[in-house]
Amino acid sequence: MCGIFGYLGYRDAAPVVLAGLERLAYRGYDSAGVAVIDGAGRMEVRKSAGKLANLTQLLEREPLSGTCGLGHTRWATHGVPSDANAHPHVDGTGEVVVVHNGIVENYIELKARLTAGGHEFTSATDTEIIPHLIQELLARGHSLPEAVRLAAAELRGAHAIACMHAGSPETMIALRIGNAGGVSVGFGSGEMFVASDLPALLPLTTSVAPLEPGQMAIVTPEGCEMLELDGTRIDAVRQTVAMSPIAAAKGGHRHFMLKEIMEQPESAMSCLRSRLTFTPPSVTLDELPFGPADIERVVFLGMGTTQYATRVGARMMEQLARLPATAEDASEFRYRDPVVDATTLAVGVSQSGETADTIEAMHLARQGGARTLAITNVAGSQAERGAEATLLMHAGPEIGVASTKTFVNSMLVMYLLAAHLGHARGALTDADAAAHVDAASRLPALLGEALDLNQGIYERFAASYARARRFLFLGRGLLDPIAREGALKLKEISYIHAEGMAAAEMKHGPIALIDDETPVVAIALRDALYEKMLGNISEVKARGGVVIALATAGDDAIEALVDDVLWVPPCPPLLAPMLAAVPMQLFAYHMAVHLGNDVDQPRNLAKSVTVE
Ligand code: M6R
């Protein structure tokens, strides 16, 4: 969360930084700011609450000039989104400027000490103490790199920080402590860049050096020096990223989210490409560095939508590979001293590859001796760098904050992994494996059918249901996580409260919520648990509830039982969660559009959650 972008070189810095911040806006969009130092060592800051457009307008009215600039797009942790709390933050002399991603866990204590020493603060943020700490050390005669290094040693928590000093206009310092989102240096010719993540750098350079935790870079327009935070000099590990710049275009769609939903057949195809072999039929995952005999248990780690995907993945792993598998909330796993060993496969799933809790949970599993595998959509991300091996989702860039195509592709990768391990372990016969290869190969076409069904229905539903104050979503088996995801999608973009649960759970409390103003979305596909779902639907109807069923196309019988229906094409059982996700996404999307919400950048959220 929070995006950092810095530039040093020969161009006018402000527009380069602003364009970099645009590529990072998915990390936070509560406020934004930029600081520029001109050739005479004068530093000026512009910042503005709200989305980046506000800062752009401010810079049009009050331009900045200079070839060294540092910017930030914020997701608020301490202090409301406001001009004063926006980054960059400066010290009392106005000479040290800092942008920051992370939480200074001991900021109250540090602020009290600095205040007692005469420092005055103008914001409610934890970040503002950092330029003051640096200034105090500069005043004691330390060089800028040394002052930054010593200030960093005082901070508790995980951080990515970049800073400049008006007295050193051609130097920028970037550092990383722990896993509060990454920070990377980009190498140009006569110009250098600093950014929170690699995709933000790619339109400018593919030559990058990501900082590892505990590293600091001293960047000038000509290059950079790297050191450990204990002061030891190290060589910058430069790498060339083989990834094209993000094509951030909506392709004729009104929103990125809609574009990304519509892209799902194509993104599933990209995920399957070269992973399905037909003679003989099998799933090929060359990326895996371990054999089937090495693994006795699988632990999936993820957060949010991705955690719901892992719940599907864990069920698939048990069913196909007959390996005990659990789906863990990474933020809980990392603090509970979990039991892992060398026969445990810890699979960290993260579309961004930057989610702090998932990265830390993987790290903990690795320390416990587990084998580690990342499933991510971003090559070069922290998840990839921290794991033994990676299975890329190949979903293409996802700009909308609400995950859609990466949700489907995460489940698809886990399906392939489960089928691959199942076949390799002998839990699946050749014939079983062939059936799964056939099923997986049908997914792109079936996703296309799912997108074509229900034309015009979503808009009608949005008009009739948008006034509901809360929703319940019910599902069973592989579709229980899809009910939870349906509820999450609806809450995050329509701001209507929704709860998703295993259908049988409803009787244990939530049934008290049922009334004619609480629509219940019941996922009742024609699967092994269909009749159980019909029982749950009857329980809702018997209490005067309103039911929208998600049903298998052709199931005419269900229409008589419920108030409204959304259809899903008939499909092989293990494709059902991926196909049922589509109407859930479109339902939430049309509700949010009907309510006039900002679908791509919903309030309070960020695309990658790099603080815990
Ligand atoms: O990048 P990740 O997959 O690790 O993100 C995890 C969650 O923050 C994410 O799935 C979030 O819940 C979604 N954006 C919701 O649509």
Side-chain angles (χ1 to χ4, degrees):
M1 331 198 86
C2 298
I4 291 173
F5 198 93
Y7 175 78
L8 299 118
Y10 51 84
R11 307 191 221 184
D12 203 10
V16 183
V17 172
L18 210 50
L21 293 181
E22 264 165 33
R23 294 191 288 280
L24 292 167
Y26 65 87
R27 296 177 74 101
Y29 35 80
D30 293 339
S31 59
V34 60
V36 168
I37 303 182
D38 68 18
R42 272 188 307 266
M43 186 177 68
E44 285 193 73
V45 177
R46 304 278 182 271
K47 46 193 198 173
S48 176
K51 298 213 165 137
L52 204 51
N54 295 355
L55 177 65
T56 307
Q57 284 165 13
L58 177 61
L59 282 165
E60 277 161 14
R61 291 194 305 274
E62 300 172 26
L64 292 174
S65 128
T67 57
C68 182
L70 189 53
H72 186 269
T73 175
R74 177 172 188 243
W75 186 87
T77 60
H78 294 61
V80 296
S82 66
D83 291 358
N85 290 334
H87 299 213
H89 287 285
V90 292
D91 72 311
T93 67
E95 295 203 327
V96 180
V97 67
V98 167
V99 295
H100 169 225
N101 178 19
I103 295 173
V104 181
E105 289 171 2
N106 53 336
Y107 88 100
I108 294 177
E109 163 194 333
L110 291 171
K111 193 166 182 175
R113 191 191 86 201
L114 288 161
T115 305
H119 290 260
E120 288 179 12
F121 294 90
T122 58
S123 81
T125 66
D126 52 336
T127 301
E128 197 187 358
I129 61 122
I130 303 173
H132 285 261
L133 282 176
I134 295 171
Q135 188 275 328
E136 202 174 59
L137 289 152
L138 286 170
R140 282 191 216 143
H142 292 287
S143 66
L144 179 63
E146 196 58 6
V148 174
R149 198 177 70 75
L150 294 172
E154 298 212 43
L155 309 178
R156 278 211 300 274
H159 311 275
I161 295 170
C163 69
M164 302 189 300
H165 178 235
S168 318
E170 299 234 305
T171 305
M172 185 175 296
I173 308 233
L175 67 90
R176 181 171 167 204
I177 303 172
N179 282 319
V183 62
S184 295
V185 176
F187 294 77
S189 174
E191 56 184 353
M192 294 286 287
F193 314 92
V194 168
S196 294
D197 63 29
L198 299 182
L201 291 170
L202 292 179
L204 299 161
T205 179
T206 54
S207 177
V208 299
L211 270 64
E212 295 301 328
Q215 292 183 345
M216 174 169 138
I218 305 166
V219 189
T220 66
E222 284 74 43
C224 95
E225 265 182 64
M226 288 273 212
L227 52 158
E228 301 282 0
L229 283 173
D230 65 5
T232 317
R233 302 262 156 200
I234 50 173
D235 290 331
V237 181
R238 270 171 83 160
Q239 48 185 260
T240 303
V241 183
M243 197 169 143
S244 57
I246 286 178
K250 291 184 192 142
H253 292 287
R254 187 167 165 198
H255 297 101
F256 281 113
M257 181 179 176
L258 184 59
K259 171 183 176 254
E260 289 154 6
I261 291 171
M262 302 312 283
E263 280 171 353
Q264 290 178 112
E266 194 190 318
S267 58
M269 180 69 87
S270 306
C271 181
L272 292 172
R273 197 167 286 129
S274 82
R275 287 175 168 157
L276 296 185
T277 312
F278 293 90
T279 48
S282 70
V283 176
T284 311
L285 296 175
D286 292 331
E287 300 93 329
L288 300 184
F290 45 79
D294 300 333
I295 306 302
E296 288 177 9
R297 181 166 84 98
V298 183
V299 175
F300 289 99
L301 303 164
M303 296 298 293
T305 288
T306 304
Q307 206 245 332
Y308 295 143
T310 65
R311 290 181 185 218
V312 173
R315 283 166 188 259
M316 289 172 163
M317 188 60 76
E318 288 201 340
Q319 190 175 328
L320 303 189
R322 305 307 295 153
L323 280 166
T326 52
E328 303 276 354
D329 175 314
S331 68
E332 291 296 319
F333 179 87
R334 62 182 282 201
Y335 288 116
R336 71 147 207 262
D337 195 14
V339 178
V340 292
D341 61 23
T343 63
T344 307
L345 172 63
V347 185
V349 188
S350 172
Q351 66 77 24
S352 63
E354 302 290 340
T355 297
D357 283 315
T358 306
I359 304 296
E360 281 299 338
M362 283 175 73
H363 183 59
L364 181 73
R366 198 169 56 246
Q367 280 179 332
R371 310 300 304 259
T372 52
L373 177 67
I375 296 179
T376 181
N377 198 37
V378 181
S381 60
Q382 289 199 70
E384 174 166 42
R385 298 204 302 276
E388 273 179 77
T390 299
L391 295 173
L392 288 172
M393 295 177 193
H394 293 305
E398 188 175 75
I399 309 292
V401 163
S403 303
T404 52
K405 60 180 180 170
T406 58
F407 177 59
V408 168
N409 273 28
S410 334
M411 291 187 279
L412 179 55
V413 174
M414 287 183 270
Y415 180 25
L416 297 179
L417 179 64
H420 171 83
L421 288 177
H423 196 198
R425 285 167 51 81
L428 295 178
T429 63
D430 289 349
D432 295 332
H436 289 297
V437 168
D438 178 60
S441 69
R442 292 176 54 202
L443 181 63
L446 284 166
L447 284 167
E449 278 180 46
L451 289 166
D452 284 346
L453 285 172
N454 310 314
Q455 301 267 358
I457 297 183
Y458 297 109
E459 291 84 345
R460 178 167 67 73
F461 279 17
S464 36
Y465 290 108
R467 279 187 309 277
R469 290 320 312 142
R470 60 177 176 246
F471 276 78
L472 294 184
F473 285 70
L474 307 179
R476 280 174 175 265
L478 283 171
L479 299 168
D480 159 11
I482 305 306
R484 295 171 198 266
E485 167 61 3
L488 175 57
K489 269 306 70 91
L490 188 67
K491 316 189 239 225
E492 70 180 329
I493 58 172
S494 74
Y495 316 142
I496 298 172
H497 181 66
E499 243 190 281
M501 68 198 77
E505 186 61 28
M506 179 185 65
K507 288 198 268 298
H508 298 273
I511 199 165
L513 296 171
I514 301 292
D515 59 21
D516 58 4
E517 292 180 353
T518 306
V520 175
V521 178
I523 311 182
L525 303 189
R526 283 277 193 184
D527 59 16
L529 297 168
Y530 174 70
E531 282 167 5
K532 307 275 177 209
M533 274 307 300
L534 292 190
N536 298 125
I537 288 172
S538 301
E539 289 157 9
V540 175
K541 290 306 297 174
R543 285 157 184 84
V546 177
V547 176
I548 304 168
L550 208 68
T552 305
D555 180 5
D556 299 334
I558 205 166
E559 281 189 284
L561 299 180
V562 300
D563 299 270
D564 274 310
V565 187
L566 287 167
W567 302 108
V568 177
C571 63
L574 295 191
L575 297 192
M578 293 168 246
L579 293 166
V582 173
M584 298 284 85
Q585 297 163 350
L586 285 167
F587 178 62
Y589 171 80
H590 285 283
M591 291 281 279
V593 169
H594 183 87
L595 290 165
N597 295 346
D598 186 339
V599 172
D600 285 331
Q601 294 190 337
R603 71 184 182 204
N604 303 340
L605 296 178
K607 180 84 180 155
S608 70
V609 181
T610 60
V611 291
E612 62 176 291

